[in-house]
mmCIF file with all atom_site columns, all heavy atoms in Angstrom:
data_model
loop_
_atom_site.group_PDB
_atom_site.id
_atom_site.type_symbol
_atom_site.label_atom_id
_atom_site.label_alt_id
_atom_site.label_comp_id
_atom_site.label_asym_id
_atom_site.label_entity_id
_atom_site.label_seq_id
_atom_site.pdbx_PDB_ins_code
_atom_site.Cartn_x
_atom_site.Cartn_y
_atom_site.Cartn_z
_atom_site.occupancy
_atom_site.B_iso_or_equiv
_atom_site.pdbx_formal_charge
_atom_site.auth_seq_id
_atom_site.auth_comp_id
_atom_site.auth_asym_id
_atom_site.auth_atom_id
_atom_site.pdbx_PDB_model_num
ATOM 1   N N   . MET A 1 193 ? -15.272 -24.164 6.718  1.00 0.00 ? 193 MET A N   1
ATOM 2   C CA  . MET A 1 193 ? -15.994 -24.846 7.870  1.00 0.00 ? 193 MET A CA  1
ATOM 3   C C   . MET A 1 193 ? -15.583 -24.080 9.113  1.00 0.00 ? 193 MET A C   1
ATOM 4   O O   . MET A 1 193 ? -14.440 -23.811 9.383  1.00 0.00 ? 193 MET A O   1
ATOM 5   C CB  . MET A 1 193 ? -15.409 -26.264 7.945  1.00 0.00 ? 193 MET A CB  1
ATOM 6   C CG  . MET A 1 193 ? -15.897 -26.956 9.127  1.00 0.00 ? 193 MET A CG  1
ATOM 7   S SD  . MET A 1 193 ? -15.380 -28.768 9.096  1.00 0.00 ? 193 MET A SD  1
ATOM 8   C CE  . MET A 1 193 ? -13.635 -28.505 9.428  1.00 0.00 ? 193 MET A CE  1
ATOM 9   N N   . PHE A 1 195 ? -16.880 -23.654 13.520 1.00 0.00 ? 195 PHE A N   1
ATOM 10  C CA  . PHE A 1 195 ? -17.072 -24.578 14.613 1.00 0.00 ? 195 PHE A CA  1
ATOM 11  C C   . PHE A 1 195 ? -18.359 -25.335 14.484 1.00 0.00 ? 195 PHE A C   1
ATOM 12  O O   . PHE A 1 195 ? -18.403 -26.514 14.837 1.00 0.00 ? 195 PHE A O   1
ATOM 13  C CB  . PHE A 1 195 ? -17.094 -23.829 15.987 1.00 0.00 ? 195 PHE A CB  1
ATOM 14  C CG  . PHE A 1 195 ? -15.640 -23.328 16.392 1.00 0.00 ? 195 PHE A CG  1
ATOM 15  C CD1 . PHE A 1 195 ? -15.570 -22.024 16.939 1.00 0.00 ? 195 PHE A CD1 1
ATOM 16  C CD2 . PHE A 1 195 ? -14.705 -24.073 16.188 1.00 0.00 ? 195 PHE A CD2 1
ATOM 17  C CE1 . PHE A 1 195 ? -14.398 -21.665 17.498 1.00 0.00 ? 195 PHE A CE1 1
ATOM 18  C CE2 . PHE A 1 195 ? -13.333 -23.620 16.562 1.00 0.00 ? 195 PHE A CE2 1
ATOM 19  C CZ  . PHE A 1 195 ? -13.266 -22.443 17.229 1.00 0.00 ? 195 PHE A CZ  1
ATOM 20  N N   . GLU A 1 198 ? -17.822 -28.057 11.965 1.00 0.00 ? 198 GLU A N   1
ATOM 21  C CA  . GLU A 1 198 ? -16.715 -28.918 12.476 1.00 0.00 ? 198 GLU A CA  1
ATOM 22  C C   . GLU A 1 198 ? -17.298 -29.856 13.621 1.00 0.00 ? 198 GLU A C   1
ATOM 23  O O   . GLU A 1 198 ? -17.007 -31.033 13.641 1.00 0.00 ? 198 GLU A O   1
ATOM 24  C CB  . GLU A 1 198 ? -15.655 -28.097 13.162 1.00 0.00 ? 198 GLU A CB  1
ATOM 25  C CG  . GLU A 1 198 ? -14.653 -28.772 13.735 1.00 0.00 ? 198 GLU A CG  1
ATOM 26  C CD  . GLU A 1 198 ? -13.632 -27.807 14.542 1.00 0.00 ? 198 GLU A CD  1
ATOM 27  O OE1 . GLU A 1 198 ? -12.943 -26.974 13.937 1.00 0.00 ? 198 GLU A OE1 1
ATOM 28  O OE2 . GLU A 1 198 ? -13.679 -27.968 15.649 1.00 0.00 ? 198 GLU A OE2 1
ATOM 29  N N   . LEU A 1 213 ? -3.492  -30.536 5.359  1.00 0.00 ? 213 LEU A N   1
ATOM 30  C CA  . LEU A 1 213 ? -4.783  -29.828 5.541  1.00 0.00 ? 213 LEU A CA  1
ATOM 31  C C   . LEU A 1 213 ? -4.911  -28.535 4.944  1.00 0.00 ? 213 LEU A C   1
ATOM 32  O O   . LEU A 1 213 ? -3.893  -27.684 5.028  1.00 0.00 ? 213 LEU A O   1
ATOM 33  C CB  . LEU A 1 213 ? -4.899  -29.646 7.152  1.00 0.00 ? 213 LEU A CB  1
ATOM 34  C CG  . LEU A 1 213 ? -6.079  -28.739 7.596  1.00 0.00 ? 213 LEU A CG  1
ATOM 35  C CD1 . LEU A 1 213 ? -7.308  -29.372 7.397  1.00 0.00 ? 213 LEU A CD1 1
ATOM 36  C CD2 . LEU A 1 213 ? -5.983  -28.406 9.092  1.00 0.00 ? 213 LEU A CD2 1
ATOM 37  N N   . VAL A 1 215 ? -6.470  -25.420 5.598  1.00 0.00 ? 215 VAL A N   1
ATOM 38  C CA  . VAL A 1 215 ? -6.976  -24.970 6.836  1.00 0.00 ? 215 VAL A CA  1
ATOM 39  C C   . VAL A 1 215 ? -8.407  -24.399 6.477  1.00 0.00 ? 215 VAL A C   1
ATOM 40  O O   . VAL A 1 215 ? -8.434  -23.459 5.540  1.00 0.00 ? 215 VAL A O   1
ATOM 41  C CB  . VAL A 1 215 ? -6.005  -23.944 7.431  1.00 0.00 ? 215 VAL A CB  1
ATOM 42  C CG1 . VAL A 1 215 ? -6.650  -23.333 8.762  1.00 0.00 ? 215 VAL A CG1 1
ATOM 43  C CG2 . VAL A 1 215 ? -4.631  -24.468 7.761  1.00 0.00 ? 215 VAL A CG2 1
ATOM 44  N N   . PRO A 1 216 ? -9.326  -24.638 7.251  1.00 0.00 ? 216 PRO A N   1
ATOM 45  C CA  . PRO A 1 216 ? -10.708 -23.981 7.006  1.00 0.00 ? 216 PRO A CA  1
ATOM 46  C C   . PRO A 1 216 ? -10.738 -22.433 7.382  1.00 0.00 ? 216 PRO A C   1
ATOM 47  O O   . PRO A 1 216 ? -10.123 -21.995 8.255  1.00 0.00 ? 216 PRO A O   1
ATOM 48  C CB  . PRO A 1 216 ? -11.604 -24.728 7.902  1.00 0.00 ? 216 PRO A CB  1
ATOM 49  C CG  . PRO A 1 216 ? -10.730 -25.418 9.062  1.00 0.00 ? 216 PRO A CG  1
ATOM 50  C CD  . PRO A 1 216 ? -9.349  -25.543 8.306  1.00 0.00 ? 216 PRO A CD  1
ATOM 51  N N   . ASP A 1 222 ? -12.779 -18.635 14.365 1.00 0.00 ? 222 ASP A N   1
ATOM 52  C CA  . ASP A 1 222 ? -13.965 -19.392 14.682 1.00 0.00 ? 222 ASP A CA  1
ATOM 53  C C   . ASP A 1 222 ? -13.857 -20.786 13.961 1.00 0.00 ? 222 ASP A C   1
ATOM 54  O O   . ASP A 1 222 ? -14.822 -21.379 13.604 1.00 0.00 ? 222 ASP A O   1
ATOM 55  C CB  . ASP A 1 222 ? -15.208 -18.667 14.086 1.00 0.00 ? 222 ASP A CB  1
ATOM 56  C CG  . ASP A 1 222 ? -14.933 -18.297 12.635 1.00 0.00 ? 222 ASP A CG  1
ATOM 57  O OD1 . ASP A 1 222 ? -13.950 -18.669 12.010 1.00 0.00 ? 222 ASP A OD1 1
ATOM 58  O OD2 . ASP A 1 222 ? -15.723 -17.516 12.120 1.00 0.00 ? 222 ASP A OD2 1
ATOM 59  N N   . THR A 1 223 ? -12.593 -21.391 13.945 1.00 0.00 ? 223 THR A N   1
ATOM 60  C CA  . THR A 1 223 ? -12.463 -22.710 13.358 1.00 0.00 ? 223 THR A CA  1
ATOM 61  C C   . THR A 1 223 ? -11.245 -23.295 13.939 1.00 0.00 ? 223 THR A C   1
ATOM 62  O O   . THR A 1 223 ? -10.554 -22.632 14.690 1.00 0.00 ? 223 THR A O   1
ATOM 63  C CB  . THR A 1 223 ? -12.252 -22.395 11.772 1.00 0.00 ? 223 THR A CB  1
ATOM 64  O OG1 . THR A 1 223 ? -12.308 -23.807 11.112 1.00 0.00 ? 223 THR A OG1 1
ATOM 65  C CG2 . THR A 1 223 ? -10.834 -21.849 11.526 1.00 0.00 ? 223 THR A CG2 1
ATOM 66  N N   . CYS A 1 224 ? -11.006 -24.620 13.619 1.00 0.00 ? 224 CYS A N   1
ATOM 67  C CA  . CYS A 1 224 ? -9.887  -25.426 14.129 1.00 0.00 ? 224 CYS A CA  1
ATOM 68  C C   . CYS A 1 224 ? -9.798  -25.281 15.526 1.00 0.00 ? 224 CYS A C   1
ATOM 69  O O   . CYS A 1 224 ? -9.014  -24.826 16.227 1.00 0.00 ? 224 CYS A O   1
ATOM 70  C CB  . CYS A 1 224 ? -8.624  -24.824 13.533 1.00 0.00 ? 224 CYS A CB  1
ATOM 71  S SG  . CYS A 1 224 ? -8.231  -25.221 11.827 1.00 0.00 ? 224 CYS A SG  1
ATOM 72  N N   . SER A 1 225 ? -10.822 -26.065 16.249 1.00 0.00 ? 225 SER A N   1
ATOM 73  C CA  . SER A 1 225 ? -10.689 -26.349 17.637 1.00 0.00 ? 225 SER A CA  1
ATOM 74  C C   . SER A 1 225 ? -9.542  -27.294 17.911 1.00 0.00 ? 225 SER A C   1
ATOM 75  O O   . SER A 1 225 ? -9.102  -27.904 17.055 1.00 0.00 ? 225 SER A O   1
ATOM 76  C CB  . SER A 1 225 ? -12.100 -26.960 18.115 1.00 0.00 ? 225 SER A CB  1
ATOM 77  O OG  . SER A 1 225 ? -12.118 -28.351 17.557 1.00 0.00 ? 225 SER A OG  1
ATOM 78  N N   . GLU A 1 226 ? -9.165  -27.278 19.240 1.00 0.00 ? 226 GLU A N   1
ATOM 79  C CA  . GLU A 1 226 ? -8.111  -28.201 19.556 1.00 0.00 ? 226 GLU A CA  1
ATOM 80  C C   . GLU A 1 226 ? -8.593  -29.624 19.325 1.00 0.00 ? 226 GLU A C   1
ATOM 81  O O   . GLU A 1 226 ? -7.656  -30.385 18.852 1.00 0.00 ? 226 GLU A O   1
ATOM 82  C CB  . GLU A 1 226 ? -7.793  -28.138 21.099 1.00 0.00 ? 226 GLU A CB  1
ATOM 83  C CG  . GLU A 1 226 ? -7.336  -26.612 21.531 1.00 0.00 ? 226 GLU A CG  1
ATOM 84  C CD  . GLU A 1 226 ? -5.940  -26.231 20.912 1.00 0.00 ? 226 GLU A CD  1
ATOM 85  O OE1 . GLU A 1 226 ? -5.079  -27.142 20.832 1.00 0.00 ? 226 GLU A OE1 1
ATOM 86  O OE2 . GLU A 1 226 ? -5.907  -25.037 20.647 1.00 0.00 ? 226 GLU A OE2 1
ATOM 87  N N   . PHE A 1 228 ? -10.369 -30.824 16.919 1.00 0.00 ? 228 PHE A N   1
ATOM 88  C CA  . PHE A 1 228 ? -10.252 -30.977 15.547 1.00 0.00 ? 228 PHE A CA  1
ATOM 89  C C   . PHE A 1 228 ? -8.805  -31.107 15.049 1.00 0.00 ? 228 PHE A C   1
ATOM 90  O O   . PHE A 1 228 ? -8.379  -31.999 14.258 1.00 0.00 ? 228 PHE A O   1
ATOM 91  C CB  . PHE A 1 228 ? -11.035 -29.936 14.599 1.00 0.00 ? 228 PHE A CB  1
ATOM 92  C CG  . PHE A 1 228 ? -10.661 -29.962 13.165 1.00 0.00 ? 228 PHE A CG  1
ATOM 93  C CD1 . PHE A 1 228 ? -11.278 -30.985 12.457 1.00 0.00 ? 228 PHE A CD1 1
ATOM 94  C CD2 . PHE A 1 228 ? -9.838  -29.039 12.646 1.00 0.00 ? 228 PHE A CD2 1
ATOM 95  C CE1 . PHE A 1 228 ? -11.082 -30.984 11.095 1.00 0.00 ? 228 PHE A CE1 1
ATOM 96  C CE2 . PHE A 1 228 ? -9.573  -29.131 11.232 1.00 0.00 ? 228 PHE A CE2 1
ATOM 97  C CZ  . PHE A 1 228 ? -10.187 -30.092 10.441 1.00 0.00 ? 228 PHE A CZ  1
ATOM 98  N N   . VAL A 1 229 ? -7.973  -30.270 15.558 1.00 0.00 ? 229 VAL A N   1
ATOM 99  C CA  . VAL A 1 229 ? -6.608  -30.312 15.152 1.00 0.00 ? 229 VAL A CA  1
ATOM 100 C C   . VAL A 1 229 ? -5.913  -31.503 15.475 1.00 0.00 ? 229 VAL A C   1
ATOM 101 O O   . VAL A 1 229 ? -5.157  -32.066 14.835 1.00 0.00 ? 229 VAL A O   1
ATOM 102 C CB  . VAL A 1 229 ? -5.912  -28.956 15.677 1.00 0.00 ? 229 VAL A CB  1
ATOM 103 C CG1 . VAL A 1 229 ? -4.330  -29.081 15.550 1.00 0.00 ? 229 VAL A CG1 1
ATOM 104 C CG2 . VAL A 1 229 ? -6.384  -27.703 15.027 1.00 0.00 ? 229 VAL A CG2 1
ATOM 105 N N   . ARG A 1 253 ? -3.966  -18.570 17.583 1.00 0.00 ? 253 ARG A N   1
ATOM 106 C CA  . ARG A 1 253 ? -4.223  -19.723 18.249 1.00 0.00 ? 253 ARG A CA  1
ATOM 107 C C   . ARG A 1 253 ? -4.259  -20.910 17.189 1.00 0.00 ? 253 ARG A C   1
ATOM 108 O O   . ARG A 1 253 ? -3.719  -21.990 17.652 1.00 0.00 ? 253 ARG A O   1
ATOM 109 C CB  . ARG A 1 253 ? -5.639  -19.571 18.995 1.00 0.00 ? 253 ARG A CB  1
ATOM 110 C CG  . ARG A 1 253 ? -6.064  -20.964 19.558 1.00 0.00 ? 253 ARG A CG  1
ATOM 111 C CD  . ARG A 1 253 ? -7.522  -20.927 20.006 1.00 0.00 ? 253 ARG A CD  1
ATOM 112 N NE  . ARG A 1 253 ? -8.363  -20.799 18.862 1.00 0.00 ? 253 ARG A NE  1
ATOM 113 C CZ  . ARG A 1 253 ? -8.727  -21.574 17.912 1.00 0.00 ? 253 ARG A CZ  1
ATOM 114 N NH1 . ARG A 1 253 ? -8.279  -22.777 18.063 1.00 0.00 ? 253 ARG A NH1 1
ATOM 115 N NH2 . ARG A 1 253 ? -9.521  -21.299 16.927 1.00 0.00 ? 253 ARG A NH2 1
ATOM 116 N N   . VAL A 1 254 ? -4.856  -20.657 16.101 1.00 0.00 ? 254 VAL A N   1
ATOM 117 C CA  . VAL A 1 254 ? -4.959  -21.761 15.133 1.00 0.00 ? 254 VAL A CA  1
ATOM 118 C C   . VAL A 1 254 ? -3.581  -22.073 14.596 1.00 0.00 ? 254 VAL A C   1
ATOM 119 O O   . VAL A 1 254 ? -3.183  -23.336 14.712 1.00 0.00 ? 254 VAL A O   1
ATOM 120 C CB  . VAL A 1 254 ? -5.806  -21.211 13.958 1.00 0.00 ? 254 VAL A CB  1
ATOM 121 C CG1 . VAL A 1 254 ? -5.682  -22.246 12.807 1.00 0.00 ? 254 VAL A CG1 1
ATOM 122 C CG2 . VAL A 1 254 ? -7.209  -20.898 14.427 1.00 0.00 ? 254 VAL A CG2 1
ATOM 123 N N   . SER A 1 257 ? -1.841  -24.066 17.494 1.00 0.00 ? 257 SER A N   1
ATOM 124 C CA  . SER A 1 257 ? -2.394  -25.371 17.512 1.00 0.00 ? 257 SER A CA  1
ATOM 125 C C   . SER A 1 257 ? -1.934  -26.386 16.354 1.00 0.00 ? 257 SER A C   1
ATOM 126 O O   . SER A 1 257 ? -1.490  -27.592 16.742 1.00 0.00 ? 257 SER A O   1
ATOM 127 C CB  . SER A 1 257 ? -3.971  -25.445 17.437 1.00 0.00 ? 257 SER A CB  1
ATOM 128 O OG  . SER A 1 257 ? -4.390  -24.587 18.604 1.00 0.00 ? 257 SER A OG  1
ATOM 129 N N   . LEU A 1 258 ? -1.828  -25.882 15.233 1.00 0.00 ? 258 LEU A N   1
ATOM 130 C CA  . LEU A 1 258 ? -1.264  -26.712 14.236 1.00 0.00 ? 258 LEU A CA  1
ATOM 131 C C   . LEU A 1 258 ? 0.256   -27.003 14.497 1.00 0.00 ? 258 LEU A C   1
ATOM 132 O O   . LEU A 1 258 ? 0.661   -28.226 14.142 1.00 0.00 ? 258 LEU A O   1
ATOM 133 C CB  . LEU A 1 258 ? -1.516  -25.988 12.843 1.00 0.00 ? 258 LEU A CB  1
ATOM 134 C CG  . LEU A 1 258 ? -2.887  -25.883 12.358 1.00 0.00 ? 258 LEU A CG  1
ATOM 135 C CD1 . LEU A 1 258 ? -3.167  -24.814 11.192 1.00 0.00 ? 258 LEU A CD1 1
ATOM 136 C CD2 . LEU A 1 258 ? -3.447  -27.301 11.902 1.00 0.00 ? 258 LEU A CD2 1
#
Side-chain angles (χ1 to χ4, degrees):
M193 175 179 69
F195 290 145
E198 177 192 295
L213 170 67
V215 180
D222 55 7
T223 192
C224 284
S225 69
E226 298 294 328
F228 171 76
V229 171
R253 176 195 61 79
V254 174
S257 296
L258 290 164

